[in-house]
Amino acid sequence: MPKAAPPPENLYLSAKEAAAELGVSLATLYAYVSRDMIRSEPVPDSRAKRYRAEDVRALKQRRVAGSGPTSPQFEGGRDALTAALNYGGAPVLDSAITLIADGKLHYRGSNAMALARSSSLEQVAALLWGCRDVQPFTRDAVPHMTPLLEKLAADLSDAPRIERCLSLLPLAGLDDPSVYNMTDRGLAATGARLLRFVASVIAGVAPSADPVHEVLARSLTFGDRRAAELIRAALVLCADHELNASAFTVRCVAGTGATLYAAVQAGICAAQGPRHGAFTSRVESFLTDIAHRQDIEDAVLNRLRNGDLVPGFGHPLYPDGDPRASTLLDLMRANHGDDPAFLRVQRIVNVMAEAGGVHPNIDFAVGALSVTLRMMPGTGLAIFVLGRTAGWIGHAIEQYRSGQMIRPRARYTGEAPK
C-alpha cells in the first residue's frame, strides 16, 4: 500500500513556537493542553510533542478579541455561538450563586477563601441555596435507610465510592417521601438529606447529623483532627465554580423537572470524567509516582522539556493563580508543613513557578491533600464530589425557580438536504 502523505508543515507548531505565538510560557501552554484547549500529539520518532496550529491561533484570536459582550466575537454568527460555550465566552445562563471575577471567587457575594477558613460545608450549602429564613440542616434532616437500601449499600461496600453513589442515589430518591416538595423549604430540606446521604455513602457509614467533614475524616483518616479541618476547607473550596460542565449538566436535568436526586446523579456522572473532577486522580498518580524520585526538580523539568503534562497547574479563569489552591495549600502548610509528602508537593510547586510562572489549581491542591493525608487513591474525587454536591443542589434549585427548560440550538454542519 502507498505510504500516507505527511501532514502539512504548517499544521503543527513546536512547543516553543506555540508558546511564542500565544506570548505565554511553556508551562502555561501545557496548562492550556491539560484543559483540552489545544490539541497535542507525539512527534514521530521523538519524545517531543507537537501542537495543532489551528487550536493555538483560535485561542490567540479569542484572547485578542477579549471576553466582554461588546467584543467582535459576540456580534453574532459562528464565533459568537462557539465562544459562548468556551472559557471566556458570554454567560450561558443568569445565576446569582457564584461570581468569578478579578482572580477571586465569591459565593453569593461572600469570599469563598474566607469561608474556607471558618465555615462548614453545611453553612456554605445554606448560603448557596439562598436559605435566608430557614436552617435546612436540622437534627431531623437525616435520610432514612430502608432495609432494601441498607442491603444494597452492604453489597456495594467494596465498590469505588463514586460508583456506590451512582448506584444508591436512584433508590434513595424513591425512598424519600418529600422529594416532590418543590417549595423553598421543601427543596432545602431535601437538599440537606441528600448532602448527608452522599457523605454517608462516600464514608461507608450510616447517615447522621454530624458535620460532613467530620464524617469523612473519621472514615478516611482515622479521626485526625487536623485532617478534619483540612477536609472541611477543601469541601468548601470545591462547593461551586459557576457554570462548569457538571453544574450545567445538573441545570439541564433540573430544567426538565427531574428530582434533586436525579440532578445530583447527573452531576456526579459529569464530574467523574477525567477532564473534570477526576483530574484529581491524575494528580494523585503523578504525586505518588514522583515520591520515589530524589531529583524531583529534575523530574519535573524533564517533563516540561519533553512537552509532557504536569497535571494540576494553570487555570484559564485564574491567570495569576487559582486562589482556591493557594488557600488550601496555605492551610496544609500550617498543619502539615513538615510532612515529607507535603514537602515534595512544595518542591513541585516551586519548580513550576520558577520554570514557567504557572501556579497550581484546585485539582492539584485536592490531589495533594489526598496524598499528604495518606488517603486511598480516588479520595480526591470523592472530596470534590461531596463538596460540589452543595453547589449542584443550589444550581438545581435556581433552575427550578426559573421555570425554564434548557434547550440550546445546534449549528448544523452535515450534508445539505436533498
Side-chain angles (χ1 to χ4, degrees):
M1 294 181 63
K3 293 180 66 176
E9 290 297 323
N10 61 357
L11 185 62
Y12 298 102
L13 298 171
S14 69
K16 289 184 178 179
E17 290 170 338
E21 182 95 12
L22 291 168
V24 299
S25 67
L26 287 175
T28 301
L29 171 67
Y30 303 144
Y32 288 144
V33 173
S34 73
R35 293 289 171 177
D36 298 302
M37 300 171 73
I38 297 174
R39 289 170 288 179
S40 69
E41 61 183 62
V43 175
D45 303 320
S46 171
R47 293 189 60 188
K49 296 285 184 67
R50 58 187 182 182
Y51 303 85
R52 290 293 291 266
E54 61 179 318
D55 294 350
V56 172
R57 285 158 191 157
L59 177 57
K60 179 181 179 182
Q61 185 176 6
R62 291 201 301 272
R63 294 172 69 218
V64 170
S67 61
T70 59
S71 300
Q73 62 184 349
F74 294 100
E75 293 300 319
R78 294 169 63 93
D79 289 344
L81 290 171
T82 302
L85 296 176
N86 285 284
Y87 283 112
V92 178
L93 298 169
D94 290 336
S95 177
I97 297 175
T98 296
L99 172 67
I100 303 170
D102 301 323
K104 298 178 181 178
L105 175 69
H106 292 85
Y107 298 153
R108 290 195 184 273
S110 296
N111 186 289
M113 279 55 71
L115 292 171
R117 294 182 180 276
S118 59
S119 300
S120 68
L121 182 62
E122 290 90 340
Q123 292 171 323
V124 170
L127 173 66
L128 292 171
W129 303 348
C131 298
R132 294 185 177 88
D133 303 322
V134 59
Q135 170 49 257
F137 291 94
T138 65
R139 300 294 301 180
D140 297 329
V142 177
H144 173 65
M145 295 287 284
T146 64
L148 179 59
L149 197 54
E150 288 180 341
K151 181 180 184 307
L152 182 57
D155 291 342
L156 294 171
S157 60
D158 292 331
R161 297 182 181 91
I162 302 306
E163 281 69 16
R164 289 205 303 264
C165 287
L166 292 175
S167 299
L168 294 170
L169 274 171
L171 186 57
L174 288 174
D175 290 337
D176 190 334
S178 302
V179 71
Y180 299 107
N181 184 340
M182 304 300 281
T183 65
D184 288 350
R185 285 180 176 270
L187 287 169
T190 300
R193 293 192 300 275
L194 177 51
L195 185 68
R196 284 171 167 169
F197 179 77
V198 173
S200 72
V201 173
I202 288 176
V205 298
S208 75
D210 293 342
V212 295
H213 66 275
E214 294 183 3
V215 172
L216 254 63
R218 285 197 297 267
S219 173
L220 304 179
T221 66
F222 307 103
D224 181 346
R225 185 67 192 177
R226 295 185 305 166
E229 285 302 299
L230 290 174
I231 291 172
R232 178 195 56 73
L235 291 171
V236 170
L237 291 168
C238 290
D240 195 54
H241 204 234
E242 200 222 66
L243 287 179
N244 50 74
S246 57
F248 187 70
T249 300
V250 166
R251 295 188 78 118
C252 288
V253 173
T256 69
T259 67
L260 273 178
Y261 286 84
V264 167
Q265 186 175 13
I268 295 175
C269 287
Q272 68 176 349
R275 298 178 183 177
H276 193 12
F279 200 87
T280 56
S281 298
R282 298 172 67 179
V283 174
E284 290 174 350
S285 296
F286 166 69
L287 293 176
T288 300
D289 291 343
I290 209 169
H292 305 291
R293 300 285 299 265
Q294 294 298 321
D295 56 337
I296 288 178
E297 288 80 4
D298 287 342
V300 173
L301 288 173
N302 280 334
R303 292 178 72 100
L304 295 178
R305 191 176 297 115
N306 294 325
D308 294 332
L309 172 69
V310 178
F313 283 83
H315 196 295
L317 297 181
Y318 302 111
D320 297 324
D322 187 338
R324 299 169 298 171
S326 60
T327 298
L328 185 54
L329 291 172
D330 283 347
L331 292 171
M332 291 173 63
R333 189 175 298 106
N335 287 276
H336 293 74
D338 57 351
D339 187 283
F342 181 77
L343 291 175
R344 287 192 295 271
V345 165
Q346 189 62 63
R347 289 169 67 184
I348 295 168
V349 171
N350 291 342
V351 72
M352 287 297 289
E354 294 168 2
V358 68
H359 307 286
N361 56 39
I362 189 63
D363 299 321
F364 183 85
V366 173
L369 175 66
S370 176
V371 172
T372 300
L373 297 181
R374 277 70 171 180
M375 295 190 282
M376 293 291 292
T379 301
L381 174 59
I383 290 172
F384 175 89
V385 164
L386 179 56
R388 191 57 57 90
T389 295
W392 291 334
I393 293 170
H395 282 283
I397 291 173
E398 192 174 60
Q399 195 62 37
Y400 292 142
R401 288 169 177 161
S402 76
Q404 297 177 338
M405 186 170 76
I406 298 171
R407 204 299 190 185
R409 294 299 307 275
R411 185 180 65 233
Y412 181 68
T413 59
E415 295 184 9
K418 296 180 175 62

